Amino acid sequence: MSNRSIGLDGPLYHYLLEHSLREPDVLADLRAETAKLPEANMQIAPEQGQFMALLARLMGARRYLEIGTFTGYSALAVALALPEDGEVVTLDNSAQWTATARRYWERAGVSGRIRLEPGAARDSLQALEQRGETGRFDLAFIDADKTGYPDYFEHCLRLVRAGGLILVDNTLWHGTVADPDDEREDTRAIRAFNNALHHDERIDLSLAPIGDGLTLARRR
């Protein structure tokens, strides 16, 4: 897996970045620091972060929910696109990775609008619903364990308002979803998830070849 949009060769990807990417220094520095980690492939591509920020602005989003934060790149990209009174609620169970995230959120001046909820995502999502957060988010992003996608998506359908948008990462899974010989658990889980969403009448749907495949599901 790489940190650039799937299916682009080196020259074309370089062209895309040169002629589209407007990455603030704080995001570029976070991406560079994260690139040194063994798990660096878990970070989204910068063009995907910019696309998500654009979606937030187009929607006039004020509240953003994120499941799976890693070192905080996507949360920061969207937080910078929200109005000053906007709020990011982000869920992750790694104190080590989110410590990096907090440093960059602070540096960017947006730490006050980001609320990190540590622990198991399912517990945090259930707690949000119990606290009356149903229908109160404009935008959500799912980028966590792949076998958990169906549960996370159902929670997001309740937490995101009608007309809101749910984004789901890695839904092309570096191309292996189309390889019938790949029967790894995560690959099978993403295939099943993609198939379920294709037939889900509760949403409007697009699967875009951005990053490692980004599903856009608008709640009807």
Side-chain angles (χ1 to χ4, degrees):
M1 194 189 307
S2 69
N3 299 115
R4 73 187 202 192
S5 288
I6 194 168
L8 299 179
D9 62 18
L12 185 56
Y13 184 65
H14 183 67
Y15 182 91
L16 181 152
L17 295 183
E18 277 199 328
H19 292 83
S20 174
L21 189 63
R22 297 175 175 178
E23 187 179 40
D25 288 344
V26 65
L27 280 172
D29 291 347
L30 172 54
R31 184 159 60 93
E33 180 171 336
T34 304
K36 300 172 185 176
L37 298 175
E39 304 87 357
N41 64 341
M42 292 169 54
Q43 183 171 275
I44 65 168
E47 65 273 16
Q48 179 177 328
Q50 183 168 300
F51 180 65
M52 290 169 59
L54 178 61
L55 290 174
R57 291 189 175 100
L58 286 171
M59 296 176 65
R62 306 184 77 85
R63 301 194 78 223
Y64 166 67
L65 172 64
E66 181 172 276
I67 304 166
T69 301
F70 192 36
T71 58
Y73 189 97
S74 50
L76 179 53
V78 175
L80 289 169
L82 296 183
E84 288 189 5
D85 62 347
E87 183 184 25
V88 172
V89 177
T90 185
L91 317 179
D92 202 285
N93 61 6
S94 170
Q96 176 186 353
W97 292 337
T98 55
T100 301
R102 288 181 190 274
R103 281 195 288 109
Y104 282 90
W105 298 342
E106 185 71 30
R107 174 180 154 186
V110 297
S111 59
R113 71 181 74 156
I114 301 178
R115 187 173 90 233
L116 173 65
E117 303 231 354
R122 288 178 178 84
D123 294 340
S124 297
L125 290 165
Q126 187 173 0
L128 286 171
E129 293 187 39
Q130 290 172 345
R131 294 201 300 262
E133 298 278 11
T134 299
R136 296 196 58 219
F137 291 92
D138 304 296
L139 180 65
F141 180 46
I142 301 172
D143 185 14
D145 57 291
K146 309 315 169 192
T147 56
Y149 273 17
D151 285 345
Y152 301 149
F153 188 79
E154 290 300 318
H155 279 289
C156 286
L157 275 177
R158 294 189 289 270
L159 290 162
V160 168
R161 62 171 172 81
L165 191 63
I166 303 168
L167 308 176
V168 189
D169 201 31
N170 303 120
T171 46
L172 290 179
W173 203 227
H174 39 279
T176 59
V177 287
D179 180 359
D181 294 326
D182 191 324
E183 286 296 322
R184 290 174 296 174
E185 182 180 23
D186 283 345
T187 307
R188 288 188 286 108
I190 292 172
R191 281 198 200 107
F193 177 76
N194 289 342
N195 185 63
L197 259 59
H198 187 209
H199 298 91
D200 194 330
E201 296 297 328
R202 300 171 296 175
I203 59 171
D204 300 310
L205 177 68
S206 179
L207 199 174
I210 298 170
D212 192 30
L214 182 66
T215 290
L216 294 80
R218 176 186 176 272
R219 185 188 158 201
R220 290 180 174 174

